[in-house]
Amino acid sequence: DADVTQTPRNRITKTGKRIMLECSQTKGHDRMYWYRQDPGLGLRLIYYSFDVKDINKGEISDGYSVSRQAQAKFSLSLESAIPNQTALYFCATSDTSGSVTDTQYFGPGTRLTVL
Amino acid sequence: QKEVEQNSGPLSVPEGAIASLNCTYSDRGSQSFFWYRQYSGKSPELIMSIYSNGDKEDGRFTAQLNKASQYVSLLIRDSQPSDSATYLCAVNSQGNTPLVFGKGTRLSVIA
């Protein structure tokens, strides 16, 4: 089984709808991240969480919210989807445990299309 | 603002040649450096990490780090068409901040 899973893998929705993307991990990592990727723009960090009680905004958090329900689960919500939120979304995890290495491991991605 | 710069490419190399991918970073306090490979439509996968100045080899891949010049590179020997992908450089300066990713270099290996 994959260590980092994302659901759904593909989603088509309409402008104004509320959408939730879910991420689960079995790696036992304390840190989780949400990124979006658009052609030519690279990975852009939306939100990150270093533990269950810690939530931090990334560079493009407007229009998004997150929930860290447990160490293993981190959800991303689009409260009112708009077409420019059409992108590939990745969840990632890392386990620093006091070290500086912070290697990130990515889920398979969710392709979201907002019409 | 911490920045990681990569040439977007595409970098085209013939099969069997050495591909050289470069990355520069702005934060002189950076301590951890990573190369990820990403195939189109897929998620990034870790190829190598490097933490000390010098070279680190893993199979056909060699990562090179020069902290004084603030650059890190990835060499791919005996390039294969299956190496055609986008390569992302990522840098971490402290344990309590997320990795900073470059936008990636697209590599095309021509058979």
Side-chain angles (χ1 to χ4, degrees), chain B:
Chain B
Q1 184 171 346
K2 300 169 186 174
E3 295 182 342
V4 177
E5 300 288 340
Q6 297 181 254
N7 189 317
S8 63
L11 172 66
S12 294
V13 300
E15 184 176 358
I18 296 175
S20 178
L21 305 163
N22 299 312
C23 170
T24 59
Y25 57 94
S26 62
D27 184 0
R28 188 169 288 278
S30 299
Q31 300 181 41
S32 306
F33 307 85
F34 306 87
W35 283 100
Y36 287 81
R37 177 177 62 199
Q38 185 178 23
Y39 293 111
S40 181
K42 304 297 185 182
S43 59
E45 56 177 326
L46 180 70
I47 298 176
M48 292 191 70
S49 58
I50 186 167
Y51 311 111
S52 303
N53 277 330
D55 295 0
K56 179 181 178 181
E57 186 174 318
D58 184 0
R60 295 186 297 112
F61 299 97
T62 299
Q64 299 175 318
L65 175 61
N66 184 323
K67 290 186 178 180
S69 300
Q70 294 177 243
Y71 84 79
V72 56
S73 62
L74 180 69
L75 301 179
I76 307 175
R77 290 182 299 282
D78 188 24
S79 295
Q80 301 297 309
S82 58
D83 295 325
S84 298
T86 296
Y87 290 80
L88 304 173
C89 174
V91 176
N92 180 269
S93 59
Q94 302 178 50
N96 61 352
T97 57
L99 288 181
V100 179
F101 283 85
K103 290 183 170 54
T105 297
R106 188 156 56 94
L107 173 67
S108 179
V109 181
I110 310 301

Side-chain angles (χ1 to χ4, degrees), chain A residues 21-105:
Chain A
L21 309 183
E22 298 185 335
C23 177
S24 295
Q25 53 118 345
T26 59
K27 298 180 79 67
H29 288 173
D30 51 352
R31 299 184 172 192
M32 300 186 73
Y33 310 81
W34 275 104
Y35 294 90
R36 66 176 281 177
Q37 189 173 44
D38 302 89
L41 296 180
L43 287 168
R44 291 187 290 169
L45 184 62
I46 306 172
Y47 272 96
Y48 63 101
S49 169
F50 281 175
D51 64 43
V52 174
K53 297 180 180 179
D54 176 76
I55 301 289
N56 302 281
K57 293 182 177 180
E59 62 179 296
I60 55 160
S61 58
D62 287 349
Y64 301 94
S65 62
V66 291
S67 174
R68 184 81 184 265
Q69 302 95 322
Q71 186 195 38
K73 296 183 182 296
F74 193 34
S75 300
L76 176 71
S77 294
L78 288 69
E79 297 301 326
S80 179
I82 56 177
N84 77 358
Q85 291 177 314
T86 293
L88 188 55
Y89 289 83
F90 291 107
C91 173
T93 73
S94 70
D95 181 14
T96 298
S97 299
S99 75
V100 77
T101 57
D102 206 21
T103 304
Q104 288 190 18
Y105 299 92

